Short mmCIF file of all heavy atoms in Angstrom, two decimals:
data_model
loop_
_atom_site.label_atom_id
_atom_site.label_comp_id
_atom_site.label_asym_id
_atom_site.label_seq_id
_atom_site.Cartn_x
_atom_site.Cartn_y
_atom_site.Cartn_z
N PRO P 13 4.14 24.33 22.58
CA PRO P 13 2.75 24.59 22.94
C PRO P 13 2.45 26.08 22.79
O PRO P 13 3.30 26.93 23.09
CB PRO P 13 2.69 24.19 24.42
CG PRO P 13 3.83 23.26 24.64
CD PRO P 13 4.89 23.68 23.67
N GLY P 14 1.26 26.38 22.30
CA GLY P 14 0.85 27.78 22.19
C GLY P 14 1.30 28.49 20.93
O GLY P 14 0.99 29.66 20.72
N LYS P 17 -0.46 25.78 16.40
CA LYS P 17 -0.59 24.63 15.48
C LYS P 17 -2.08 24.32 15.22
O LYS P 17 -2.47 24.07 14.09
CB LYS P 17 0.08 23.38 16.06
CG LYS P 17 1.56 23.56 16.35
CD LYS P 17 2.20 22.27 16.83
CE LYS P 17 1.67 21.78 18.18
NZ LYS P 17 2.05 22.64 19.33
N THR P 35 -3.57 15.19 17.18
CA THR P 35 -3.63 14.10 18.17
C THR P 35 -4.24 14.57 19.49
O THR P 35 -4.93 13.80 20.15
CB THR P 35 -2.24 13.47 18.42
OG1 THR P 35 -1.28 14.51 18.51
CG2 THR P 35 -1.87 12.50 17.33
N GLY P 36 -4.02 15.83 19.86
CA GLY P 36 -4.65 16.36 21.09
C GLY P 36 -6.17 16.23 20.99
O GLY P 36 -6.84 15.84 21.95
N PHE P 39 -7.30 12.62 21.43
CA PHE P 39 -7.32 12.23 22.84
C PHE P 39 -8.50 12.86 23.57
O PHE P 39 -9.17 12.20 24.37
CB PHE P 39 -6.01 12.64 23.53
CG PHE P 39 -4.86 11.72 23.26
CD1 PHE P 39 -3.68 12.18 22.70
CD2 PHE P 39 -4.94 10.37 23.59
CE1 PHE P 39 -2.60 11.33 22.46
CE2 PHE P 39 -3.87 9.51 23.36
CZ PHE P 39 -2.70 10.00 22.79
N ARG P 40 -8.76 14.14 23.30
CA ARG P 40 -9.85 14.82 24.02
C ARG P 40 -11.22 14.27 23.65
O ARG P 40 -12.17 14.40 24.40
CB ARG P 40 -9.78 16.35 23.79
CG ARG P 40 -8.75 17.04 24.67
CD ARG P 40 -8.78 18.55 24.52
NE ARG P 40 -8.26 18.96 23.22
CZ ARG P 40 -6.97 19.15 22.95
NH1 ARG P 40 -6.08 19.00 23.89
NH2 ARG P 40 -6.59 19.51 21.74
N PHE P 52 -4.99 9.18 29.20
CA PHE P 52 -4.78 10.53 28.66
C PHE P 52 -4.88 11.58 29.78
O PHE P 52 -3.99 12.42 29.92
CB PHE P 52 -5.80 10.83 27.54
CG PHE P 52 -5.84 12.28 27.16
CD1 PHE P 52 -4.71 12.90 26.63
CD2 PHE P 52 -6.98 13.03 27.37
CE1 PHE P 52 -4.72 14.25 26.30
CE2 PHE P 52 -7.00 14.39 27.04
CZ PHE P 52 -5.87 14.99 26.52
N TYR P 55 -1.82 11.57 32.09
CA TYR P 55 -0.58 12.17 31.57
C TYR P 55 -0.76 13.66 31.27
O TYR P 55 0.06 14.48 31.69
CB TYR P 55 -0.10 11.44 30.31
CG TYR P 55 0.47 10.08 30.61
CD1 TYR P 55 -0.28 8.93 30.44
CD2 TYR P 55 1.76 9.96 31.13
CE1 TYR P 55 0.25 7.67 30.74
CE2 TYR P 55 2.30 8.72 31.44
CZ TYR P 55 1.53 7.57 31.24
OH TYR P 55 2.06 6.36 31.55
N SER P 56 -1.84 14.01 30.55
CA SER P 56 -1.96 15.40 30.08
C SER P 56 -2.16 16.36 31.25
O SER P 56 -1.70 17.50 31.19
CB SER P 56 -3.09 15.54 29.07
OG SER P 56 -4.32 15.24 29.66
N GLU P 60 2.55 15.84 30.77
CA GLU P 60 3.41 14.79 30.20
C GLU P 60 2.81 14.25 28.92
O GLU P 60 1.60 14.39 28.67
CB GLU P 60 3.54 13.62 31.20
CG GLU P 60 4.08 13.99 32.56
CD GLU P 60 5.53 14.46 32.53
OE1 GLU P 60 6.25 14.07 31.60
OE2 GLU P 60 5.92 15.22 33.43
N LEU P 61 3.64 13.58 28.13
CA LEU P 61 3.16 12.95 26.91
C LEU P 61 2.57 11.58 27.23
O LEU P 61 3.05 10.88 28.12
CB LEU P 61 4.32 12.76 25.92
CG LEU P 61 4.96 14.04 25.40
CD1 LEU P 61 6.13 13.69 24.47
CD2 LEU P 61 3.95 14.92 24.67
N VAL P 62 1.55 11.20 26.45
CA VAL P 62 0.98 9.85 26.55
C VAL P 62 2.04 8.90 25.97
O VAL P 62 2.76 9.27 25.03
CB VAL P 62 -0.34 9.79 25.75
CG1 VAL P 62 -0.95 8.40 25.80
CG2 VAL P 62 -1.34 10.83 26.27
N THR P 67 -0.18 6.20 21.71
CA THR P 67 -0.41 7.35 20.84
C THR P 67 -0.40 6.95 19.37
O THR P 67 -1.29 7.31 18.60
CB THR P 67 0.68 8.42 21.10
OG1 THR P 67 0.64 8.77 22.48
CG2 THR P 67 0.47 9.65 20.24
N ASP P 94 -0.74 17.51 13.25
CA ASP P 94 -0.60 18.52 14.29
C ASP P 94 -0.50 17.76 15.62
O ASP P 94 -1.49 17.21 16.10
CB ASP P 94 -1.84 19.41 14.17
CG ASP P 94 -2.20 20.23 15.39
OD1 ASP P 94 -1.47 20.16 16.39
OD2 ASP P 94 -3.22 20.92 15.32
N GLY P 95 0.73 17.63 16.12
CA GLY P 95 0.89 16.96 17.42
C GLY P 95 1.50 15.57 17.32
O GLY P 95 1.67 14.92 18.34
N ILE P 96 1.84 15.12 16.13
CA ILE P 96 2.51 13.83 15.98
C ILE P 96 3.40 13.90 14.75
O ILE P 96 2.97 14.49 13.74
CB ILE P 96 1.49 12.67 15.88
CG1 ILE P 96 2.20 11.31 16.04
CG2 ILE P 96 0.68 12.68 14.58
CD1 ILE P 96 1.27 10.15 16.36
N ARG P 98 5.76 13.45 18.12
CA ARG P 98 6.19 14.35 19.18
C ARG P 98 7.39 13.80 19.95
O ARG P 98 7.86 14.42 20.89
CB ARG P 98 5.03 14.52 20.14
CG ARG P 98 4.69 15.93 20.47
CD ARG P 98 3.31 15.90 21.08
NE ARG P 98 2.99 17.07 21.80
CZ ARG P 98 1.84 17.74 21.60
NH1 ARG P 98 0.99 17.37 20.70
NH2 ARG P 98 1.56 18.77 22.34
N GLN P 102 8.27 8.06 18.13
CA GLN P 102 7.07 8.14 17.28
C GLN P 102 7.46 8.37 15.82
O GLN P 102 6.88 7.78 14.90
CB GLN P 102 6.14 9.26 17.74
CG GLN P 102 5.48 8.99 19.09
CD GLN P 102 4.63 10.15 19.60
OE1 GLN P 102 4.26 11.05 18.86
NE2 GLN P 102 4.33 10.12 20.89
N ARG P 133 -6.57 30.81 25.95
CA ARG P 133 -7.27 29.63 25.42
C ARG P 133 -7.98 28.89 26.57
O ARG P 133 -9.08 28.38 26.40
CB ARG P 133 -6.23 28.72 24.75
CG ARG P 133 -6.81 27.45 24.16
CD ARG P 133 -5.81 26.78 23.26
NE ARG P 133 -4.70 26.19 23.99
CZ ARG P 133 -3.69 25.54 23.42
NH1 ARG P 133 -3.63 25.43 22.11
NH2 ARG P 133 -2.72 25.00 24.14
N ARG P 139 -9.63 24.16 28.81
CA ARG P 139 -8.71 23.01 28.84
C ARG P 139 -7.96 22.99 30.16
O ARG P 139 -7.24 23.94 30.47
CB ARG P 139 -7.71 23.12 27.68
CG ARG P 139 -8.22 22.49 26.41
CD ARG P 139 -7.22 22.62 25.30
NE ARG P 139 -5.90 22.10 25.62
CZ ARG P 139 -4.95 21.95 24.72
NH1 ARG P 139 -5.18 22.27 23.46
NH2 ARG P 139 -3.77 21.48 25.05
N ASP P 141 -5.31 21.48 31.06
CA ASP P 141 -3.85 21.53 30.97
C ASP P 141 -3.34 22.93 30.61
O ASP P 141 -2.16 23.20 30.64
CB ASP P 141 -3.30 20.47 29.99
CG ASP P 141 -3.87 20.59 28.58
OD1 ASP P 141 -4.94 21.22 28.41
OD2 ASP P 141 -3.24 20.05 27.65
N ARG P 151 4.98 21.50 30.14
CA ARG P 151 4.80 21.16 28.72
C ARG P 151 5.91 21.77 27.86
O ARG P 151 6.36 21.16 26.90
CB ARG P 151 3.41 21.61 28.24
CG ARG P 151 2.36 20.56 28.61
CD ARG P 151 0.98 21.11 28.71
NE ARG P 151 0.43 21.54 27.45
CZ ARG P 151 -0.53 22.45 27.34
NH1 ARG P 151 -1.01 23.03 28.41
NH2 ARG P 151 -1.01 22.76 26.16
P1 LIG K 301 -0.42 21.44 22.98
O1 LIG K 301 0.22 21.38 21.62
O2 LIG K 301 -1.01 22.78 23.29
O3 LIG K 301 0.48 20.97 24.08
P2 LIG K 301 -2.27 19.24 22.26
O4 LIG K 301 -3.74 19.51 22.17
O5 LIG K 301 -1.55 18.98 20.98
O6 LIG K 301 -1.67 20.45 23.07
O7 LIG K 301 -2.03 17.96 23.21
C1 LIG K 301 -2.60 17.87 24.49
C2 LIG K 301 -1.98 16.70 25.25
O8 LIG K 301 -2.26 15.47 24.53
C3 LIG K 301 -0.46 16.71 25.34
O9 LIG K 301 0.01 17.50 26.41
C4 LIG K 301 -0.16 15.21 25.56
O10 LIG K 301 -0.43 14.82 26.89
C5 LIG K 301 -1.19 14.54 24.65
N1 LIG K 301 -0.62 14.30 23.31
C6 LIG K 301 -1.00 14.89 22.14
N2 LIG K 301 -0.25 14.43 21.11
C7 LIG K 301 0.63 13.54 21.63
C8 LIG K 301 1.67 12.73 21.10
N3 LIG K 301 1.98 12.72 19.79
N4 LIG K 301 2.37 11.94 21.95
C9 LIG K 301 2.08 11.88 23.25
N5 LIG K 301 1.13 12.63 23.82
C10 LIG K 301 0.39 13.45 23.04
#
Side-chain angles (χ1 to χ4, degrees):
K17 301 184 295 291
T35 43
F39 281 123
R40 280 185 289 275
F52 167 63
Y55 287 100
S56 64
E60 303 293 335
L61 296 178
V62 179
T67 303
D94 159 2
I96 193 163
R98 230 164 163 130
Q102 291 176 17
R133 180 167 71 180
R139 272 180 55 170
D141 57 340
R151 277 156 68 204

